[in-house]
Amino acid sequence: MPVAERILLRPVTMGLLLQSLLLLLILLLLGCCLHPAAAFPKGCYPSEEEGLKTFRCSNARLTEIPRDIPNDTNKLYLDSNRIPFLPRDAFRDLPLLLELDLSHNVISSVESGAFRGLAEHLHSLDLSSNRLVSVSKDAFSNLKAKVNLSNNPWLCDCRLQELIRTVELVAGSSGGIVCDSSAQEEHVGKAFLQVIADTDFCNVYKKTTDIAMLVTMFGWFAMVISYLVYYVRQNQEDARRHLEYLKSLPSKQRRSEESSTISTVV
């Protein structure tokens, strides 16, 4: 190739090389700034619905709460998975969350503080169709969201009664809170709100506790009385034996012993 042609082609080659380097640099910068789709669990994806940032993980075969949920999420769908329990601070990095759907999982335990950080903004929480039997009211403390607790195998007792009084139920969902088990067999299969219309589980528990305390106090009282009676009778028996002993002594020695006994008593 003539020297003149090589001189003319050199700027073109350099320009193409610079363009390639610039394009590579841009791609690298975009890769660092954008959240890669591969970071999301399989079956999860972000979207925007009605102007709200949504993160869907429905039917994603999850066995725990995902960690890579965008912290600006407004609506989170974790329904129809295999999540067994909700740990403490499970949603603490989602300060803008408005709706949370956890229905159709296998949740049987909700730790106290599981919804910490959601009290101010969350307005809808769906825990229907899980395996909840008993949950402490503390797990929902300060939560203002409307909660769906239907279709769970609830144990109807004072704990559930306190929980129902703590949360605000989704309209029309109360009929789905049914007694799967109860201390009284006739409650099984009935809607919980129907049962507590006639039975106050917490009053029954309080009465049982009061009776147990009274029985315990009576037991201690009876033991003290029994000991006092035994002590008095034992002293009377000792005194009687001592008097019989004094009577068996000669008169002079008896008077001396009686005087000694009186002095001792005084």
Side-chain angles (χ1 to χ4, degrees):
M1 180 180 294
V3 175
E5 289 183 7
R6 280 186 291 177
I7 293 173
L8 291 174
L9 288 174
R10 185 175 296 172
V12 176
T13 305
M14 291 297 295
L16 290 173
L17 181 61
L18 288 174
Q19 287 181 358
S20 299
L21 290 174
L22 182 61
L23 180 60
L24 179 61
L25 180 61
I26 292 172
L27 290 174
L28 288 173
L29 289 174
L30 287 173
C32 293
C33 297
L34 295 178
H35 200 319
F40 298 138
K42 184 179 180 180
C44 300
Y45 61 92
S47 63
E48 188 165 327
E49 300 177 7
E50 300 176 352
L52 297 175
K53 293 187 176 181
T54 303
F55 194 75
R56 287 190 174 273
C57 287
S58 304
N59 291 294
R61 298 185 179 181
L62 299 177
T63 56
E64 62 181 2
I65 305 299
R67 298 180 181 178
D68 298 312
I69 303 173
N71 57 15
D72 60 350
T73 298
N74 304 127
K75 299 169 69 175
L76 176 59
Y77 293 89
L78 299 173
D79 56 299
S80 303
N81 284 290
R82 301 171 183 172
I83 299 171
F85 75 101
L86 302 180
R88 184 188 302 271
D89 295 322
F91 308 99
R92 65 179 179 180
D93 296 325
L94 302 173
L96 303 180
L97 196 62
L98 302 175
E99 297 182 18
L100 175 58
D101 188 349
L102 291 160
S103 63
H104 296 91
N105 276 278
V106 291
I107 300 170
S108 60
S109 174
V110 180
E111 290 187 0
S112 180
F115 303 110
R116 183 165 25 214
L118 303 181
E120 296 300 321
H121 301 284
L122 192 70
H123 63 70
S124 177
L125 172 61
D126 194 345
L127 283 166
S128 64
S129 300
N130 276 283
R131 296 182 182 176
L132 297 172
V133 175
S134 183
V135 179
S136 171
K137 65 177 181 179
D138 296 334
F140 297 86
S141 60
N142 301 320
L143 202 62
K144 300 175 183 178
K146 292 183 178 180
V147 184
N148 189 345
L149 298 172
S150 62
N151 299 320
N152 282 281
W154 290 109
L155 166 64
C156 289
D157 60 359
C158 179
R159 205 177 192 200
L160 179 57
Q161 184 171 318
E162 289 180 337
L163 173 61
I164 297 300
R165 289 175 176 174
T166 300
V167 302
E168 181 181 356
L169 298 175
V170 172
S173 68
S174 60
I177 303 175
V178 178
C179 300
D180 187 73
S181 58
S182 176
Q184 300 181 33
E185 191 66 28
E186 63 268 21
H187 296 157
V188 176
K190 293 183 179 179
F192 184 68
L193 292 188
Q194 177 187 349
V195 171
I196 61 174
D198 301 319
T199 305
D200 190 332
F201 288 96
C202 294
N203 271 348
V204 170
Y205 174 78
K206 184 178 179 182
K207 288 178 181 178
T208 304
T209 304
D210 291 343
I211 291 172
M213 290 181 64
L214 286 173
V215 169
T216 303
M217 291 175 63
F218 179 78
W220 280 105
F221 183 73
M223 289 176 61
V224 171
I225 295 298
S226 299
Y227 176 77
L228 289 175
V229 170
Y230 170 79
Y231 180 78
V232 170
R233 287 183 177 178
Q234 189 67 30
N235 283 349
Q236 288 177 343
E237 184 66 22
D238 291 342
R240 185 183 63 79
R241 289 177 181 174
H242 189 65
L243 288 174
E244 289 179 354
Y245 168 75
L246 292 177
K247 289 178 181 179
S248 66
L249 295 174
S251 58
K252 187 178 290 186
Q253 186 177 355
R254 185 171 65 239
R255 283 196 298 269
S256 176
E257 289 283 347
E258 287 177 351
S259 298
S260 176
T261 302
I262 292 171
S263 299
T264 302
V265 172
V266 173

